[in-house]
Amino acid sequence: MLMLQVRYTLQEGKDPAAFVHALEQADIPARTRAETGCCQYEFFYSASSPNEVLLLEAWADEIAQQAHKGTAQCAELQKVKAQYLSLIHISEPTRPY
């Protein structure tokens, strides 16, 4: 299993809930969760950093995660991110023992 933590920092004045809502309106989370090998794809709001959103992703393996990058919903995700985000930090992938 491959697990990623993605921290999104929003542009000044942008609302984290509006960002997640835009993703949901485009059905990006649901379509991603339906992908072969997707085990988790969940967004969380930060209590300590109100302009950040955390995405936790888990994939059966690196092949499934790489295949995700070629999907239509991933291309749509890039467009939404460009409208809302100022910074993206992706943790080093972790693999459970």
Side-chain angles (χ1 to χ4, degrees):
M1 182 174 290
L2 177 74
M3 298 183 305
L4 299 170
Q5 294 179 9
V6 184
R7 187 176 63 221
Y8 295 126
T9 302
L10 280 82
Q11 298 169 10
E12 191 168 330
K14 296 287 184 170
D15 178 23
F19 169 61
V20 173
H21 181 73
L23 298 174
E24 290 172 344
Q25 287 295 108
D27 209 27
I28 293 167
R31 289 189 291 158
T32 300
R33 290 181 195 114
E35 289 178 43
T36 300
C38 182
C39 304
Q40 179 182 27
Y41 194 84
E42 295 183 72
F43 291 91
F44 298 88
Y45 299 107
S46 174
S48 60
S49 299
N51 67 330
E52 290 185 355
V53 174
L54 177 68
L55 167 62
L56 298 181
E57 294 183 53
W59 298 89
D61 52 36
E62 194 166 339
I63 294 169
Q65 197 274 331
Q66 291 299 314
H68 164 68
K69 291 181 179 182
T71 63
Q73 57 268 23
C74 194
E76 291 174 44
L77 173 63
Q78 303 312 312
K79 293 176 187 175
V80 175
K81 289 193 300 190
Q83 296 173 20
Y84 284 90
L85 303 179
S86 64
L87 182 66
I88 300 169
H89 178 266
I90 303 172
S91 67
E92 284 293 316
T94 56
R95 292 165 180 85
Y97 294 102

